[in-house]
Structure formats: C-alpha cells, structure tokens
Amino acid sequence: MAGGALPTAITAFNDRLAFGIIQGLFIAGISVPEQVSVVGFDNARRSDTSLVPLTTIDQNPSLMAQLALERAVGRAADRYLPTQQVLVPRLVDRASTGPAS
C-alpha cells in the first residue's frame, strides 16, 4: 500500500479478517469500495453493520448443522448410509464491493 499499485479486490478467509482489512485500508486512506473491493466469507452477524457493510459468502451454517446432526443420529442408530451432499453457498452483496475497473 505504500506507493505500490493497489489490488482491485481482496477476498478474505473469513469476515473477521475482512473487517480488519477494511480497517487497515481506512487507516491508510484507501476507500472501500471506491479504490478496493473487499469480500469476506461466512456472513457473520455483524457483516451488515460494520464500517462498510461487508459483501460476503453465506454457507448456510444452520442447514450444515442440521444435516450433520441428522447424520450423527442416523449413524448412532446404525441407519447411516454414507452420502455426499454439496451445499451451494450464496453471495450476499453489500457495500464493500464496487464495479470492476
């Protein structure tokens, strides 16, 4: 950030890290999303109330927990049939991302 070229976007491992990135950019005088877009991953509760409402990926953790519990109960009752299931994450578009430049 010190005199170098800025990326157009940063994708963070999780929302907590994305909040830190936004704060660091703000301290450096770099505006989000005007200069750099930031995306988090996990749709934390405070994602829509932060300094800049955070665009994030929602993995539907309540459904993941429900499916895990169903499989654990089934396995304990010896009714577990191994299966593979793909849950499609959802993009939650908020103010931390802008158009590509």
Side-chain angles (χ1 to χ4, degrees):
M1 291 190 314
L6 291 173
T8 58
I10 300 172
T11 302
F13 175 75
N14 58 31
D15 287 355
R16 185 174 181 183
L17 181 58
F19 297 137
I21 291 167
I22 290 172
Q23 183 177 16
L25 291 169
F26 179 77
I27 290 169
I30 298 166
S31 60
V32 174
E34 291 79 7
Q35 291 176 274
V36 178
S37 292
V38 179
V39 178
F41 197 94
D42 68 20
N43 198 21
R45 287 185 196 162
R46 67 181 193 138
S47 297
D48 60 347
T49 60
S50 62
L51 178 63
V52 176
L54 182 63
T55 296
T56 186
I57 305 295
D58 185 352
Q59 301 178 84
N60 198 347
S62 59
L63 178 58
M64 291 171 72
Q66 174 189 342
L67 294 171
L69 180 62
E70 288 172 3
R71 283 165 174 72
V73 169
R75 188 169 189 168
D78 209 19
R79 292 181 286 121
Y80 176 74
L81 296 174
T83 59
Q84 182 177 2
Q85 185 167 1
V86 177
L87 301 179
V88 179
R90 172 180 69 96
L91 176 67
V92 181
D93 189 16
R94 296 191 182 109
S96 69
T97 54
S101 54

